[in-house]
Amino acid sequence: MRHLLSLWLALGLLSPITAAGDPVARHAGPGKPLGVLRVHPVFVENRGQFQEAAKFRTALPSQAATITEHGLVLTLLGRESKERGRSLLGHNVVLRFEGVPTTSITSVRGAEQAISRCSYLLGNDESRWLTGVPCWQAVRFEDVAPGVSVDVHGRNGLLEYDVVVAAGSEPDALRVVVEGSQGLRLLPDGSVQIRTPLGVVRQLAPKAWEVEADGSHLPLVSRIELIATDRF
C-alpha cells in the first residue's frame, strides 16, 4: 500500500479563458496574466549543455522549468511595452522540496524515458557538439523525507508533481519552500496563490489516493497547509 498525492502547478498564471473554455497561450505584461498551451513537456537531461546546477530542463510557451537537486526553478516570462518597442521580462520562482526533519535529497533521476532526443550543435568545434541527449517524461526526487518521494511531470499543459508516500510514512513530512515570491495566500478552494512581479503562479489544491496492492485507488481527503509566509 502507498499513498499518492498529486499537486498541479498552474504555471500559466491564472490563464485567461476563451469562449470555448480552453486556455490560450499569450505573452503578458505587468498585471496581465499569462496563458497556458496544452502540451506535454519533456525533461531534457543535462549532459553539459546547461549550467552545472541544472539536472534537467523543460519549457512551455510562456515559462521554463529547471530541475536542480533541491527542487524546481520556474522561469516566468513576460513582455513590457516601451517607447522604442517591447522588452522581455523574466523572473525566477524556486520551489524547494524539504523533508522534516530536514534531509538532503539522495538522488534526482529521469523516469519514463521519452522517445524524443535533443541535439546541441553550437559553434564550429564538433568535439563540443552534443547529439542524442536523453529526454524523459518525468523526473523523480527520491527520499526527500523518510518514505516520501516526488515525481515531476506534465499533464494537460501544466507542470505537476506527485508526492508518493510509502505505507507508514506521512505526507506532511514534506515541506515546499518558495523562494522569489512576494507572498503566499491560501484560497478558499484549497489552492495556493504565489504572487510574483510578473503575475500569479497558482498551486492547485491536491488530489490524493491510497494505492492498494491490486492497483485499485481509494480516494483520500487532503489539503495544503501554510506553514509560514514562504512555505506550505
Side-chain angles (χ1 to χ4, degrees), residues 12 15-18 22-28 32-39 60-63 157:
S15 56
I17 304 299
T18 65
D22 293 326
V24 294
R26 62 182 65 181
H27 289 291
K32 181 179 179 182
L34 294 173
V36 176
L37 183 63
R38 291 186 178 276
V39 295
L60 288 170
S62 56
Q63 63 275 317

Side-chain angles (χ1 to χ4, degrees), residues 81-125:
S81 296
K82 294 185 176 181
E83 292 182 0
R84 297 184 178 182
R86 306 177 71 190
S87 61
L88 183 67
L89 303 176
H91 181 76
N92 284 343
V93 175
V94 179
L95 273 65
R96 178 163 51 86
F97 301 130
E98 183 178 275
V100 179
T102 302
T103 57
S104 59
I105 299 171
T106 57
S107 67
V108 181
R109 62 176 178 82
E112 303 175 37
Q113 190 163 7
I115 298 176
S116 56
R117 297 286 188 275
C118 289
S119 295
Y120 297 83
L121 311 179
L122 303 177
N124 297 323
D125 185 356

Side-chain angles (χ1 to χ4, degrees), residues 9-160:
L9 279 169
L11 301 186
L13 305 188
L14 297 182
S15 56
I17 304 299
T18 65
D22 293 326
V24 294
R26 62 182 65 181
H27 289 291
K32 181 179 179 182
L34 294 173
V36 176
L37 183 63
R38 291 186 178 276
V39 295
H40 294 283
V42 294
F43 300 87
V44 183
E45 187 174 321
N46 188 5
R47 291 290 181 89
Q49 73 275 26
F50 305 137
Q51 293 182 344
E52 184 178 356
K55 302 301 181 184
F56 300 87
R57 183 168 289 177
T58 188
L60 288 170
S62 56
Q63 63 275 317
T66 300
I67 309 291
T68 71
E69 63 180 1
H70 299 295
L72 305 175
V73 180
L74 312 177
T75 301
L76 311 178
L77 301 178
R79 294 188 182 275
E80 181 181 33
S81 296
K82 294 185 176 181
E83 292 182 0
R84 297 184 178 182
R86 306 177 71 190
S87 61
L88 183 67
L89 303 176
H91 181 76
N92 284 343
V93 175
V94 179
L95 273 65
R96 178 163 51 86
F97 301 130
E98 183 178 275
V100 179
T102 302
T103 57
S104 59
I105 299 171
T106 57
S107 67
V108 181
R109 62 176 178 82
E112 303 175 37
Q113 190 163 7
I115 298 176
S116 56
R117 297 286 188 275
C118 289
S119 295
Y120 297 83
L121 311 179
L122 303 177
N124 297 323
D125 185 356
E126 295 186 16
S127 67
R128 302 184 64 182
W129 289 0
L130 295 172
T131 59
V133 176
C135 298
W136 302 85
Q137 300 284 0
V139 173
R140 165 161 283 206
F141 294 84
E142 294 186 326
D143 301 322
V144 179
V148 178
S149 298
V150 177
D151 291 339
V152 182
H153 55 98
R155 186 190 299 272
N156 294 329
L158 302 180
L159 200 61
E160 171 184 323

